[in-house]
Amino acid sequence: MSFKSVKYGAIDIGSNAIRLLIATANTMTGNPPNFKKISLVRVPIRLGQDVFTTGEISEVNFNRMVDAMKAYKLLMQVHKVEKYKAYATSAMRGAQNGQEIADYIKENCGIEIEIIDGSHEAAIIAMTDLHNVIDERKVYLYVDVGGGSTEFTLFAYGKEVVSRSFQIGTVRLLNDMVNNSLWAEAENWVKEVCKPYSKIELIGSGGNINNIFKSSGKSQGKPLSYFYLASYYEKLQSYTYEERIYSLNMNQDRADVIIPACRIYLRAMKWSMAKNIYVPKIGLSDGIIKSIYNADNRI
């Protein structure tokens, strides 16, 4: 049997943070690929705060983005990354100067950024390796909560049924930019797609639910209950922003968005009548890695 190992890079330019994931795709003849995370670097450049309030990315955050891209380029060189993709989501696609900044970064940092729409984002997220979580006898609603949008994907009996992106994100909620009609639209959609199924479990991805899962002390693969998440939500609200940083040991850019993220997951559970949420620690970056591998191997 022949063995092959290829190193890939994934840059996820989100509304709350910008991430670089470096991973290897290891293959052996006759076996499925094995993806191994090598490095994850996250910088809290909150582009959504600019875009959702002023319509464009500020000069300060533009300069921070440029520095981050230069650093990511060097990190990929040091790691000997063979191929990479850089995708920008809700904040960049809503910024009046988004494409202009992408062009500047390509010219000056050597990184080509593709600004993708919500459906493309949902499709990439759906590529993530869920085989350790999904039971082909069950139905799941996959909920990926970001700063600018939330992607919902319904999986039934091992297959993707439907997915949709809504502009309901943590940074938007912090700025009171999600109206009741959008909440109602998301609720109606989730209820409609879940209606044919009697029992649904949730799968949650995103930095906030990962943080909540880690604090729960649960073993990987075990779900959080609706009751636990609701109780934790109440606990978070009882702390001030400063107390969440000090007493709960949260990053500054996590301590505010974690509350609206909790609200989104709880509503998704209520709409779908899910009693449990599984947290497999996957997201857009993982989907990007897999999409590069698939393109490389024409899958």
Side-chain angles (χ1 to χ4, degrees):
M1 290 192 295
S2 64
F3 172 78
K4 185 181 178 184
S5 184
V6 182
K7 200 171 283 187
Y8 296 124
I11 299 174
D12 168 12
I13 301 167
S15 301
N16 192 46
I18 299 175
R19 299 170 185 81
L20 167 66
L21 172 64
I22 296 172
T24 53
N26 300 313
T27 53
M28 197 167 277
T29 308
N31 294 289
N34 177 280
F35 296 93
K36 170 72 175 173
K37 295 180 185 182
I38 302 298
S39 174
L40 177 63
V41 182
R42 178 184 181 275
V43 287
I45 303 175
R46 191 167 284 182
L47 301 179
Q49 189 66 45
D50 290 341
V51 178
F52 306 147
T53 55
T54 69
E56 62 179 27
I57 294 166
S58 66
E59 185 175 353
V60 169
N61 279 339
F62 161 65
N63 289 326
R64 293 175 75 201
M65 263 192 85
V66 170
D67 287 343
M69 291 302 111
K70 286 178 179 176
Y72 285 177
K73 180 76 171 179
L74 288 171
L75 280 169
M76 289 193 291
Q77 286 176 4
V78 170
H79 276 281
K80 296 183 179 178
V81 167
E82 295 186 36
K83 289 187 179 180
Y84 78 92
K85 285 280 187 184
Y87 288 131
T89 57
S90 188
M92 282 278 280
R93 64 178 175 252
Q96 294 168 10
N97 56 349
Q99 191 56 55
E100 179 187 338
I101 288 172
D103 293 341
Y104 181 92
I105 288 172
K106 181 180 178 181
E107 182 72 25
N108 294 274
C109 306
I111 288 182
E112 186 170 356
I113 297 169
E114 186 178 343
I115 301 172
I116 59 174
D117 62 23
S119 60
H120 191 175
E121 184 178 355
I124 293 170
I125 291 168
M127 280 188 183
T128 52
D129 195 357
L130 292 170
H131 73 270
N132 291 326
V133 181
I134 286 182
D135 183 333
E136 294 190 357
R137 297 166 297 179
K138 294 183 179 181
V139 180
Y140 301 89
L141 181 65
Y142 183 21
V143 184
D144 182 77
V145 174
S149 62
T150 295
E151 278 62 52
F152 296 92
T153 304
L154 186 75
F155 289 93
Y157 314 118
K159 293 183 179 180
E160 181 186 337
V161 178
V162 65
S163 68
R164 186 163 169 190
S165 175
F166 290 90
Q167 287 193 327
I168 300 173
T170 57
V171 179
R172 288 187 197 272
L173 285 166
L174 279 180
N175 288 282
D176 198 25
M177 300 184 72
V178 179
N179 58 37
N180 288 335
S181 64
L182 187 54
W183 275 117
E185 187 181 350
E187 178 180 0
N188 291 337
W189 185 86
V190 170
K191 285 182 174 179
E192 186 64 29
V193 300
C194 293
K195 191 190 294 181
Y197 309 100
S198 58
K199 186 180 178 183
I200 291 175
E201 307 277 16
L202 228 72
I203 297 173
S205 67
N208 291 293
I209 197 67
N210 288 344
N211 185 285
I212 293 167
F213 185 83
K214 186 177 179 182
S215 71
S216 75
K218 286 264 190 180
S219 302
Q220 195 63 44
K222 299 291 185 183
L224 301 177
S225 68
Y226 179 89
F227 175 78
Y228 177 86
L229 194 58
S231 299
Y232 194 77
Y233 179 57
E234 294 298 324
K235 177 183 176 181
L236 289 172
Q237 289 182 302
S238 72
Y239 284 75
T240 65
Y241 171 71
E242 292 77 13
E243 286 170 340
R244 290 193 291 274
I245 294 169
Y246 182 80
S247 301
L248 301 180
N249 202 28
M250 290 185 180
N251 292 335
Q252 292 180 20
D253 69 306
R254 177 74 63 214
D256 53 357
V257 294
I258 197 165
I259 288 179
C262 238
R263 197 186 319 160
I264 297 169
Y265 289 115
L266 283 168
R267 289 196 180 190
M269 292 183 81
K270 188 176 180 181
W271 299 338
S272 61
M273 295 190 289
K275 294 180 180 178
N276 295 303
I277 179 169
Y278 291 85
V279 187
K281 282 192 176 179
I282 52 176
L284 182 65
S285 301
D286 302 88
I288 295 170
I289 295 290
K290 195 162 185 186
S291 71
I292 302 170
Y293 173 85
N294 288 350
D296 236 9
N297 294 274
R298 296 193 178 124
I299 294 174

